[in-house]
Amino acid sequence: MNQKEHTIARVLPGSIAEELELEAGDVLLSVGGQRVQDIFDYRYLTNEEYLEICVRKADGEEWELEIEKEFEEDLGIEFENGLMDDYRSCRNKCVFCFIDQLPKGMRDTLYFKDDDSRLSFLQGNYVTLTNMSGEDVDRIIRYRLEPVNISFQTTNPGLRCRMLNNRFAGEALEKAKRLFKAGITMNGQIVLCKGLNDGEELERTIRDLAGFLPYLQSVSVVPVGLTCHREGLYPLEPFTREDAIRVLDQIHGWQERLYRQHGTHFIHAGDEWYLLAGHRIPGEETYDGYLQLENGVGMVRLLKEELSKALAQRPGDGRKREVSIATGKLAAPILEEELKGMKEKYPGVRIRIYPIENRFFGESITVAGLLTGQDLKSALCGKILGEELLLTEHMFKRGEDVFLDDMTLEELSRALQVPVTIVKSDGKALLEAVLGERGQSERGEMI
């Protein structure tokens, strides 16, 4: 039995837990006489209309509590560890692993490789299945922990073993078959590596994964990210414009075929492919409801749609304002183009967009989310920044004002001598930030 203790961090006001006089610092020992392994055990066991829990108070006294409630009604408890268990680290040594390409001296948490199926459900992380036991698959099926996000890379068992440097990586695909047979919803990802899983191998993988429809809802194809810190690692090459065009032709062919057969486009190209190829971003209908947004699939299209809608709802005015936006080299031309529409309605608002070269990770890394404070400081010192500098929230450690290199927002603001604002980046929030309005948005991801 798992002996890990589950300490209560917070009791929600007006909740059942508050009525029972539970407090922060109390320890949950069992539910229905069973030890709780993690948050999924806890949620499953506390769903019932009648249950018994055992709690140890701060003075060591143990309380046995009987509870009658509505089915699936929450007790109102938050735990110190949201997962209620240790995170599982990755056993693979993938040839494309981004963490292996990080420079030394960064904060310890950035070097932790997770491959935990529970985080797939809780946070949308992608897992390789190699770290998942048969019991884990059983629990996913029993608790209906879906969708499960899976990093497939390839359906060629031998090639998968090579790419993940794990002799069990090919066998792990059988777990996806079990999830499919149980009707568990999944999403997939293919990190494409030049000369390994592209070309005919990509063709095979898409064909095989299409056999998992409809429970495998979508699959994204994203280019491998290569930093300048690859000494001693597998020799991977960056994709060229011609490569990107071939990949897009391949994906578009499958999209047309699968849409005719199943009414879904299923296989999706990351936005980077279109920008690298110099192709027009597809229409909104191509993205099947943006199922792969967190993987960089459809972000540009969604931003275009949201910004256009937000602008259409405004009459415009003569306000005067001057701001700057710093972003990755990939997205800068897109933002430049999309924000042109503001000039007609807000001719007094001037926006400078600065594409930032990533020197910390290398110039081949062009996305905004991997820019560091020192690169921003170096590139923007002495530049005209206006009244305010706007940055995407994805440059920062989640929930904090800290960049990947541990520079703080305040330190950057002092160095540049200008206020710096973190922007949630749906189109409406971006427009409000540019115009100097402090609106809030539920979803944020500015490219």
Side-chain angles (χ1 to χ4, degrees):
M1 280 193 178
N2 180 25
Q3 298 300 312
K4 189 175 183 65
E5 291 195 336
H6 307 303
T7 304
I8 296 174
R10 179 171 174 244
V11 173
L12 301 182
S15 66
I16 294 173
E18 185 181 58
E19 291 180 18
L20 295 171
E21 299 182 0
L22 298 183
E23 302 171 302
D26 293 348
V27 176
L28 177 69
L29 300 178
S30 65
V31 178
Q34 297 184 47
R35 290 276 184 179
V36 176
Q37 176 182 333
D38 56 26
I39 188 65
F40 302 114
D41 278 345
Y42 171 77
R43 289 181 179 176
Y44 183 77
L45 293 170
T46 58
N47 271 344
E48 302 302 319
E49 295 176 349
Y50 172 82
L51 56 96
E52 298 176 355
I53 67 172
C54 181
V55 175
R56 186 176 69 237
K57 301 292 289 183
D59 60 5
E61 183 180 1
E62 293 188 4
W63 287 7
E64 295 278 356
L65 302 170
E66 298 181 2
I67 301 170
E68 292 186 9
K69 62 180 186 64
E70 298 294 325
F71 181 67
E72 294 188 342
E73 184 180 2
D74 186 57
L75 297 183
I77 296 173
E78 293 180 357
F79 294 93
E80 288 185 352
N81 181 339
L83 186 61
M84 299 178 70
D85 195 11
D86 294 327
Y87 295 108
R88 297 177 187 173
S89 61
C90 183
R91 298 174 183 171
N92 307 315
K93 188 69 174 175
C94 300
V95 298
F96 53 84
C97 180
F98 193 82
I99 294 175
D100 287 342
Q101 304 177 66
L102 296 179
K104 296 179 180 179
M106 303 179 74
R107 57 178 176 270
D108 290 343
T109 53
L110 293 176
Y111 298 102
F112 180 75
K113 304 178 186 179
D114 77 76
D115 195 26
D116 198 319
S117 60
R118 298 167 298 180
L119 296 182
S120 179
F121 176 74
L122 286 175
Q123 300 176 4
N125 296 16
Y126 277 76
V127 295
T128 65
L129 303 178
T130 60
N131 212 40
M132 189 185 297
S133 67
E135 182 183 350
D136 291 330
V137 178
D138 291 339
R139 276 166 36 98
I140 287 173
I141 295 171
R142 181 168 69 250
Y143 295 168
R144 307 301 299 182
L145 302 178
E146 52 189 343
V148 179
N149 297 324
I150 302 172
S151 281
F152 286 103
Q153 320 318 354
T154 176
T155 54
N156 179 335
L159 177 58
R160 196 167 197 262
C161 290
R162 274 205 300 143
M163 291 187 68
L164 274 61
N165 272 316
N166 185 325
R167 62 193 178 96
F168 301 109
E171 300 172 17
L173 294 170
E174 296 298 318
K175 296 165 188 172
K177 294 179 182 178
R178 281 196 60 197
L179 297 174
F180 168 74
K181 290 177 181 177
I184 297 296
T185 302
M186 299 172 281
N187 292 298
Q189 170 186 263
I190 299 169
V191 177
L192 209 62
C193 299
K194 189 172 180 176
L196 285 177
N197 59 339
D198 56 350
E200 288 302 315
E201 289 294 347
L202 178 59
E203 195 75 10
R204 167 186 173 151
T205 299
I206 297 173
R207 181 173 59 249
D208 290 347
L209 293 182
F212 287 144
L213 280 163
Y215 300 116
L216 181 58
Q217 303 177 108
S218 66
V219 177
S220 62
V221 180
V222 297
V224 62
L226 302 176
T227 79
C228 59
H229 305 281
R230 290 192 54 82
E231 299 82 1
L233 300 179
Y234 188 94
L236 291 173
E237 297 179 20
F239 287 98
T240 65
R241 180 177 182 272
E242 291 70 26
D243 296 327
I245 291 171
R246 282 193 292 271
V247 169
L248 289 175
D249 286 345
Q250 200 169 0
I251 289 173
H252 292 161
W254 274 101
Q255 285 184 334
E256 293 173 10
R257 192 182 321 172
L258 292 171
Y259 191 80
R260 287 196 303 268
Q261 295 174 353
H262 302 280
T264 177
H265 296 88
F266 181 66
I267 186 79
H268 300 278
D271 291 356
E272 288 180 68
W273 294 113
Y274 293 99
L275 300 178
L276 180 59
H279 280 194
R280 184 182 64 84
I281 298 294
E284 193 168 32
E285 69 283 353
T286 306
Y287 291 103
D288 298 333
Y290 299 108
L291 294 172
Q292 292 275 353
L293 197 62
E294 296 301 319
N295 245 346
V297 176
M299 288 172 59
V300 173
R301 170 51 60 190
L302 185 58
L303 182 65
K304 285 173 175 280
E305 298 295 329
E306 290 173 335
L307 188 57
S308 175
K309 181 179 179 181
L311 269 173
Q313 295 173 345
R314 288 171 169 266
D317 56 46
R319 75 183 72 186
K320 302 289 184 182
R321 181 166 162 79
E322 187 174 352
V323 299
S324 54
I325 299 174
T327 187
K329 293 177 71 175
L330 199 66
I334 299 293
L335 284 177
E336 193 84 53
E337 184 65 29
E338 292 308 306
L339 289 172
K340 283 181 180 178
M342 291 185 58
K343 291 184 178 180
E344 293 182 12
K345 289 192 173 184
Y346 299 97
V349 176
R350 181 168 184 179
I351 311 161
R352 288 185 175 87
I353 297 176
Y354 292 102
I356 307 299
E357 181 176 329
N358 198 320
R359 296 180 180 177
F360 190 86
F361 290 115
E363 60 181 16
S364 64
I365 301 297
T366 56
V367 295
L370 292 174
L371 287 172
T372 59
Q374 58 189 275
D375 278 344
L376 288 162
K377 176 183 173 182
S378 175
L380 296 174
C381 269
K383 296 290 194 299
I384 300 173
L385 301 177
E387 305 165 36
E388 194 173 12
L389 172 65
L390 307 179
L391 301 176
T392 169
E393 63 178 350
H394 289 279
M395 292 182 188
F396 300 88
K397 184 178 179 182
R398 182 175 294 180
E400 298 184 24
D401 298 345
V402 181
F403 293 95
L404 284 170
D405 59 354
D406 287 335
M407 180 183 286
T408 66
L409 183 71
E410 183 180 354
E411 288 171 339
L412 179 65
S413 181
R414 282 203 307 266
L416 299 178
Q417 298 183 329
V418 67
V420 183
T421 299
I422 302 175
V423 181
K424 289 188 173 184
S425 67
D426 57 273
K428 183 173 181 289
L430 174 59
L431 181 59
E432 289 170 346
V434 168
L435 295 176
E437 303 167 358
R438 288 293 168 262
Q440 295 297 319
S441 173
E442 293 300 317
R443 182 195 60 76
E445 240 182 79
M446 187 166 78
I447 58 173

